[in-house]
Amino acid sequence: MQHFNNSEADLLETLSFIMPLPTPMQNRVKEESLIETFERKKILLSPGETARRIYFIRSGFLRAYFIDEDGKECTTWFSTKGDLMASASSFFTQQPANEYIEVLQDCTLQSLTWLELNAYYADFKEGNLLGRIIIQKYYILGEERAILLRTQRPEQRYNLLLKNHPQIEQQTTQQNIASYLGISRETLSRIRRKKLEMCHQTQKGKKS
């Protein structure tokens, strides 16, 4: 039996928070899921490749991005411990991907193939329901992000990112953060400087 760091997330435990799983399904997931470690800067998927696996992040930090017509990297998603990560359109349609998935911090990933996942849908009613709940969740998150980029000011986008990923400035570059927020690195620097100045003023007010 393999032993893992207690601080790592576990796929079955995470799924069980959503709904109880029958023992036969739990055993199948234990037997079939693949646990691997990857180092920082590893590319798990590139455009033109088909996403054969969906990843559960036991530990680490990943991002999805594409390269636009001007050759600029555009970050579309960050995922951390306890999240799922895949190129959704490629994985669920089994067609070539249009994006990269990159490891930003050394990670341990637990994955299932498209065939394994669909077998759970067919063999267990809980698997079918669970899949629907998870897909709905990530669809809603994607829609919220699209609305956020169109309606909220850059400062609000930045604050929400910090709320969702408090350690992100230690986990990736300012350029990646700026591209995720849909702003320039210079704009991000101004937002961070303004936020820092406000924190200093607040601290001075408390001391006086």
Side-chain angles (χ1 to χ4, degrees):
M1 178 182 292
Q2 291 176 294
H3 295 276
F4 299 97
N5 191 317
N6 289 333
S7 65
E8 290 183 347
D10 180 79
L11 176 58
L12 282 175
E13 288 181 3
T14 301
L15 295 178
S16 295
F17 278 120
I18 302 174
M19 64 182 303
L21 301 181
T23 300
M25 184 176 173
Q26 292 186 42
N27 291 337
R28 282 261 295 273
V29 172
K30 289 177 183 177
E31 292 171 3
E32 296 176 347
S33 61
L34 178 64
I35 299 177
E36 301 173 281
T37 58
F38 297 97
E39 294 183 350
R40 177 176 171 270
K41 295 187 177 181
K42 170 69 177 179
I43 300 296
L44 298 176
L45 182 73
S46 297
E49 298 176 350
T50 299
R52 303 297 184 189
R53 291 184 169 275
I54 186 168
Y55 296 97
F56 173 79
I57 304 174
R58 293 175 65 98
S59 64
F61 197 63
L62 285 72
R63 73 162 175 151
Y65 71 95
F66 67 92
I67 297 178
D68 68 13
E69 58 187 13
D70 297 320
K72 293 174 58 178
E73 292 184 3
C74 300
T75 301
T76 55
W77 208 263
F78 291 115
S79 291
T80 190
K81 184 175 76 171
D83 289 338
L84 293 173
M85 184 58 142
S87 174
S89 60
S90 177
F91 180 77
F92 289 110
T93 65
Q94 287 298 280
Q95 296 296 314
N98 297 311
E99 62 186 343
Y100 294 87
I101 294 180
E102 178 188 18
V103 175
L104 296 177
Q105 288 190 326
D106 293 354
C107 65
T108 301
L109 305 179
Q110 189 170 359
S111 65
L112 293 165
T113 67
W114 183 86
L115 288 174
E116 289 166 343
L117 190 64
N118 278 272
Y120 300 150
Y121 293 165
D123 297 342
F124 304 101
K125 63 179 181 180
E126 294 87 355
N128 207 314
L129 178 58
L130 189 62
R132 191 171 71 210
I133 291 171
I134 292 172
I135 290 172
Q136 287 174 348
K137 172 190 172 183
Y138 281 91
Y139 180 87
I140 291 169
L141 289 174
E143 186 177 79
E144 288 176 347
R145 168 164 163 70
I147 293 172
L148 180 75
L149 290 175
R150 287 178 173 83
T151 61
Q152 301 298 318
R153 297 194 307 272
E155 293 87 349
Q156 293 172 308
R157 298 180 213 161
Y158 178 64
N159 288 334
L160 182 59
L161 179 62
L162 290 181
K163 179 181 178 181
N164 292 334
H165 299 285
Q167 304 300 318
I168 194 165
E169 294 192 334
Q170 290 76 50
Q171 294 171 313
T172 190
T173 66
Q174 294 299 303
Q175 184 59 49
N176 286 347
I177 294 173
S179 72
Y180 176 81
L181 296 174
I183 59 178
S184 69
R185 187 169 178 176
E186 291 73 23
T187 298
L188 177 59
S189 294
R190 288 196 294 271
I191 292 172
R192 294 178 70 240
R193 185 164 56 250
K194 181 179 178 180
K195 189 177 182 68
L196 187 61
E197 290 172 353
M198 291 178 63
C199 288
H200 285 326
Q201 291 174 359
T202 301
Q203 289 176 353
K204 286 182 180 179
K206 290 180 178 180
K207 292 179 180 178
S208 60

